[in-house]
Amino acid sequence: MMAVFVAFLHFFAAFGLAATLFAELMLLRPEPTLREARLLQWCDRWYGMFAGIVLGAGLFRVLYYAKGTAFYMSNPYFHLKITLYVITGLISIYPTITFLRWSKDLKAGIAPVISSQQYKRLRSILLLELALLTAILASASLMARGIAS
C-alpha cells in the first residue's frame, strides 16, 4: 500500500508543478498589480514545495518501490529525466529570487515595478520551464515502458 501512496504523491506533485508553473505564466504581467505579485509569490512557493515532493517521492520510488534501482540506473530516459529536472530547477532560481525580492515592497502595499527586459526574461524562463516539464513527462513515459535508446 505504501508503494501506491508514494506513486500517488509523485504523480500528484508532478501535476502540482505543472499547475503552479502555468499559473505563474498566466499571472505574470509587464506591470503586475499588488494582488498578482502576491499570487506569483504564492504560486512560486507551491512550485518549490511540489518540486521537493516530486524529488523525494521519486527517490523513494527508485530506491524502494516501483521497478527497482537497477531498472532506473540502466535506463537512459531516467537519466534524461533527471538531467532535465536539474536544469529546470536551476533555471527556476531566477524567477524565485525575483519574486522574493518583491517581498519588502509587497509588505508595504506597493506593487513591484519590473523593466520590460526583466518581464521578457521571466516570461521566457517560465515558457522554457514548461517546455522542459513537457520533455520530463515524455521521458518518464519512455522510461516507464522500458524503452531503450
Side-chain angles (χ1 to χ4, degrees):
M1 200 62 181
M2 187 59 140
V4 171
F5 174 72
V6 172
F8 165 78
L9 198 57
H10 189 70
F11 298 136
F12 178 80
F15 282 110
L17 268 177
T20 53
L21 188 55
F22 185 75
E24 283 184 38
L25 185 62
M26 294 297 102
L27 285 167
L28 185 65
R29 300 276 183 265
E31 296 177 18
T33 64
L34 187 62
R35 182 176 184 277
E36 289 166 342
R38 285 182 176 148
L39 286 171
L40 277 164
Q41 284 187 326
W42 183 85
C43 286
D44 199 64
R45 266 187 241 113
W46 276 99
Y47 178 77
M49 286 189 279
F50 284 130
I53 294 168
V54 163
L55 185 61
L59 184 62
F60 268 82
R61 294 189 78 207
V62 167
L63 296 176
Y64 304 110
Y65 306 111
K67 299 177 186 217
T69 306
F71 171 84
Y72 295 104
M73 292 302 125
S74 65
N75 190 299
Y77 291 107
F78 174 74
H79 294 280
L80 176 61
K81 179 181 163 185
I82 297 304
T83 300
L84 293 171
Y85 183 86
V86 169
I87 292 168
T88 304
L90 290 173
I91 66 170
S92 76
I93 292 170
Y94 178 79
T96 297
I97 289 172
T98 300
F99 300 150
L100 286 173
R101 285 185 177 156
W102 296 351
S103 294
K104 186 178 176 184
D105 285 343
L106 296 180
K107 285 178 185 172
I110 302 167
V113 176
I114 59 175
S115 68
S116 64
Q117 181 183 359
Q118 188 178 36
Y119 168 75
K120 289 175 188 174
R121 186 179 307 127
L122 285 167
R123 183 164 172 75
S124 295
I125 289 171
L126 294 175
L127 286 168
L128 179 57
E129 285 182 74
L130 276 173
L132 289 169
L133 185 57
T134 302
I136 290 168
L137 296 174
S139 297
S141 295
L142 291 165
M143 177 198 71
R145 299 290 171 244
I147 297 172
S149 59

